[in-house]
Amino acid sequence: MRLRNRVGLLLALLLAAGFCCPLLSYAPNRLLSGQGLYLASLPGAEAALLLAAALPLALAPWLRRSAGSQLLLALCACLLGNGLLWVAGREALRLAAGEDALARVAFGAGFWLLQLAAGLQLAEALRGLSPSPARRALMVCAACLPALAMLLGGALDQLALLREYRNYQDSFHLALLRHLQLVCFSVLPAALLGGALGLAAFRRPRVEAWLFPALNALQTVPSIALFALLIAPLAWLGRLWPQSGIAGVGLAPALTALTLYSLLPMAHGTLAALRQVPTAARDSARGIGMSPWQLLARVELPLALPVFLSGLRVTTVQAVGLAAVAALIGAGGFGAILFQGLSASAPDQTLLGVLPIALLAAACDAAFKIVISRMDHAAHD
């Protein structure tokens, strides 16, 4: 057979690796490493479901690219991803029945490899079916509906991750609120200040000559080191103005460091956005007598907005990840759950902090892509 898709071949190898690794892990408590449960140890119907969903995906490298084949691959990827969750929920319920309340059934390496292969194959198939990011987002949401139904219906309640969530439910909701605060209140000032710096660099090449080397040097400072460097000056400011609420640990140094880290992508994005504005548009605006501020407000900013939003997208996704490190100086967020799990050698608690960060970053990235796509379509219409 003729190889038609090299990406599909890599995904097929990922599928094979996933089935060779344990799909689930059974442990007597949350701290001990579990015993692996492989595909062969699953009941026949469950194993057949997973194999039937994976077979077309394994043949994807040799399938002719057409709307029908892409639709089949998308459906099989959806079936495999949701089928893995259903099988994991059933096995957790079966293994937990009559056992000690401390026993845990967690996801194994095979589960994550197969979910990764299914997700990548779904993205690849949807890209072939629809070029619109908005439509792809809607299809992804539809593919996740069975998983949401299983989650709300209690089919996954006995899984270790869900049991860990119930133990830390209140802390989880507070961590979500604090993580959103860290991202929003660092990205917004970075967008304003970085946009101003990018505009200054565009207007004056001398500013660009020193600005980006300085921001690049700041970006090379490790995040933990930057948090530590901010403790002393912010503590001094807190003693100088006791009513300000500024302290050497907590929210103030976290927001300061995250804002500083966000300046480079915002300044670069603003400069790139302004540079891609057509020279003819500027000349036409000057020809009808527009002042420099009118040129900026009515011509340059509207035309530069999609590229500017692309820079804001990169900045936001970066801030979502970096905000986790802020927990080391008492700023809270999902990093607090993550580091508590690491210190206690509790992988499920660690995962409870890691997964929301990854999902939040993916949601922000998808939302910005949809907005930018809509703006591009509106500009061409």
Side-chain angles (χ1 to χ4, degrees):
M1 296 178 66
R2 178 185 174 187
L3 180 65
R4 300 178 184 274
N5 188 349
R6 290 186 174 87
V7 175
L9 181 60
L10 293 176
L11 296 181
L13 294 175
L14 193 60
L15 281 172
F19 280 118
C20 292
C21 296
L23 299 179
L24 299 171
S25 174
Y26 175 75
N29 58 59
R30 67 193 293 264
L31 300 179
L32 296 180
S33 57
Q35 176 184 359
L37 299 176
Y38 291 82
L39 179 69
S41 62
L42 298 179
E46 297 176 1
L49 170 66
L50 298 181
L51 289 174
L55 181 59
L57 304 183
L59 297 176
W62 298 277
L63 293 179
R64 187 183 301 274
R65 294 183 68 89
S66 63
S69 65
Q70 297 305 304
L71 180 60
L72 173 64
L73 292 175
L75 291 175
C76 289
C78 177
L79 180 61
L80 178 60
N82 289 290
L84 284 166
L85 275 178
W86 178 75
V87 169
R90 282 182 60 88
E91 286 301 297
L93 184 62
R94 181 178 66 84
L95 293 172
E99 296 288 342
D100 190 344
L102 296 177
R104 298 296 179 101
V105 177
F107 300 126
F111 176 91
W112 295 114
L113 288 174
L114 291 174
Q115 284 288 8
L116 177 62
L120 293 175
Q121 184 62 75
L122 178 63
E124 182 72 12
L126 292 182
R127 190 175 294 110
L129 286 171
S130 172
S132 167
R135 291 181 181 178
R136 288 202 297 268
L138 288 175
M139 292 178 180
V140 170
C141 290
C144 294
L145 286 178
L148 182 61
M150 285 186 280
L151 181 64
L152 297 178
L156 310 178
D157 284 353
Q158 293 302 320
L159 286 169
L161 184 61
L162 271 295
R163 295 177 66 176
E164 203 71 36
Y165 167 74
R166 289 194 296 271
N167 291 339
Y168 293 93
Q169 187 169 351
D170 294 336
S171 300
F172 184 89
H173 295 159
L174 292 175
L176 173 61
L177 179 61
R178 176 51 64 91
H179 209 93
L180 292 175
Q181 289 175 339
L182 288 169
V183 173
C184 292
F185 293 120
S186 62
V187 170
L188 289 178
L192 296 175
L193 183 55
L197 292 173
L199 177 61
F202 177 73
R203 295 285 192 230
R204 295 176 175 82
R206 290 183 179 179
V207 174
E208 181 184 358
W210 62 262
L211 173 64
F212 289 106
L215 292 180
N216 285 328
L218 177 64
Q219 202 79 5
T220 61
V221 179
S223 56
I224 298 178
L226 185 57
F227 288 135
L229 290 173
L230 291 171
I231 291 176
L234 290 176
W236 177 77
L237 287 176
R239 289 194 299 269
L240 193 61
W241 292 292
Q243 304 302 323
S244 64
I246 298 175
V249 294
L251 200 58
L255 290 177
T256 304
L258 290 173
T259 301
L260 291 175
Y261 273 120
S262 300
L263 289 179
L264 178 62
M266 281 310 312
H268 261 304
T270 303
L271 181 60
L274 291 171
R275 280 180 172 170
Q276 59 85 42
V277 175
T279 304
R282 291 194 178 93
D283 293 339
S284 299
R286 293 190 186 99
I288 62 175
M290 283 190 180
S291 67
W293 285 107
Q294 288 175 326
L295 172 64
L296 176 66
R298 298 183 182 180
V299 178
E300 290 179 329
L301 289 183
L303 293 177
L305 188 56
V307 180
F308 176 83
L309 288 178
S310 296
L312 186 60
R313 174 177 66 88
V314 174
T315 304
T316 304
V317 173
Q318 173 186 282
V320 170
L322 283 176
V325 188
L328 294 174
I329 55 170
F334 286 124
I337 300 176
L338 188 159
F339 289 117
Q340 287 173 9
L342 288 175
S343 62
S345 299
D348 297 318
Q349 186 179 357
T350 304
L351 193 59
L352 188 65
V354 171
L355 274 182
I357 296 174
L359 293 176
L360 185 60
C364 292
D365 183 71
F368 274 107
K369 283 183 177 178
I370 292 172
V371 173
I372 295 169
S373 173
R374 291 296 178 90
M375 294 183 65
D376 287 338
H377 283 306
H380 289 97
D381 289 345

